[in-house]
């Protein structure tokens, strides 16, 4: 029973304030056994989590959730947009937030060495399709080289146990069918 994905769906439907007041990281059947990400963190005694792209919509949700799970979260991202969830929900009040760009390998390397995370979630990206066509070189630099920079920087961080690289459905070949993609779908 892994509650990680269903819980995230419930969080979005209920809204941030209600979620933060009522969310439990424990199995609803017995309220004692941590499941999903909560169980992974607890069973391994993991406390330090590094999140790139934490000022974006999904990154902000992840950081709110990690806080609720008791993780010490360090974020690394471009400054948030003025009307972002990150600012409106005051996510920075519950974590350490560093301004930075994944295209800057030296600064990213320093941030990771300073943080000494055990888990890294890489969510920093230029994720919008239209801007990717308008600025393909910048998009490549952020999405591809930013990921390469993160992996290179992590080579010098012995505390890192795992890295989760997040992408979107835009990485799959779009054959025009209006069906959801699966993880085994062709890349395109």
């Amino acid at each position: 029973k892994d509650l990680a994905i269903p819980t995230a769906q419930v969080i979005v439907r209920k809204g941030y304030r209600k979620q933060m007041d009522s969310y439990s990281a424990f199995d609803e059947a017995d309220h004692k056994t941590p499941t999903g990400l909560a169980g992974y963190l607890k069973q391994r005694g993991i406390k330090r989590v590094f999140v790139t792209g934490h000022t974006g919509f999904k990154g902000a949700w992840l950081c709110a959730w990690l806080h609720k799970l008791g993780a010490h979260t360090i974020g690394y991202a471009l400054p948030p947009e003025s009307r972002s969830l990150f600012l409106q929900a005051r996510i920075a009040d519950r974590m350490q937030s560093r301004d930075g760009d994944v295209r800057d390998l030296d600064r990213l390397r320093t941030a990771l060495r300073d943080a000494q995370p055990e888990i890294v979630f890489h969510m920093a990206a230029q994720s919008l399709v239209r801007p990717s066509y308008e600025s393909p070189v910048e998009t490549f630099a952020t999405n591809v080289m930013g990921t390469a920079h993160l992996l290179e920087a992590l080579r010098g961080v012995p505390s890192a146990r795992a890295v989760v690289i997040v992408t979107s459905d835009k990485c799959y070949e779009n054959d025009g069918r209006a069906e959801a993609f699966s993880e085994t779908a062709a890349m395109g």
Side-chain angles (χ1 to χ4, degrees):
K1 252 173 134 178
D2 186 356
L3 297 179
I5 293 172
T7 302
Q9 292 169 348
V10 169
I11 290 168
V12 172
R13 277 194 279 260
K14 288 185 176 179
Y16 178 78
R17 181 62 56 199
K18 182 162 179 92
Q19 177 271 328
M20 291 305 289
D21 292 340
S22 64
Y23 173 69
S24 171
F26 296 90
D27 186 313
E28 293 178 16
D30 64 15
H31 296 285
K32 295 176 188 168
T33 308
T35 58
L37 183 57
Y40 184 87
L41 295 175
K42 185 174 177 113
Q43 290 167 1
R44 289 161 182 81
I46 292 173
K47 289 289 184 185
R48 299 185 65 77
V49 181
F50 191 92
V51 179
T52 67
H54 71 288
T55 58
F57 182 74
K58 292 179 183 177
W61 275 111
L62 176 61
C63 291
W65 190 32
L66 288 166
H67 169 75
K68 195 69 173 172
L69 296 177
H72 175 77
T73 307
I74 305 98
Y76 182 88
L78 297 174
E81 294 182 11
S82 62
R83 297 183 58 201
S84 68
L85 171 68
F86 182 78
L87 292 176
Q88 291 178 8
R90 299 173 52 160
I91 302 296
D93 293 350
R94 294 179 282 283
M95 63 175 296
Q96 182 182 341
S97 181
R98 292 183 69 159
D99 288 347
D101 190 325
V102 292
R103 295 173 292 183
D104 184 341
L105 175 58
D106 291 334
R107 188 171 177 154
L108 179 58
R109 185 178 280 139
T110 299
L112 282 161
R113 282 186 185 152
D114 291 349
Q116 289 297 308
E118 296 164 276
I119 296 180
V120 176
F121 286 92
H122 179 47
M123 301 183 81
Q126 192 302 99
S127 60
L128 303 173
V129 174
R130 193 164 280 137
S132 74
Y133 290 135
E134 294 165 359
S135 302
V137 173
E138 184 177 337
T139 299
F140 185 88
T142 300
N143 295 0
V144 177
M145 293 309 299
T147 302
H149 287 164
L150 176 71
L151 295 173
E152 176 63 23
L154 281 169
R155 293 176 63 198
V157 182
S159 62
R161 299 183 190 184
V163 60
V164 178
I165 299 174
V166 178
T167 186
S168 75
D169 66 343
K170 304 303 181 271
C171 67
Y172 295 108
E173 181 179 351
N174 187 347
D175 60 10
R177 290 185 285 170
E179 296 176 11
F181 295 108
S182 70
E183 290 183 3
T184 59
M187 302 298 278

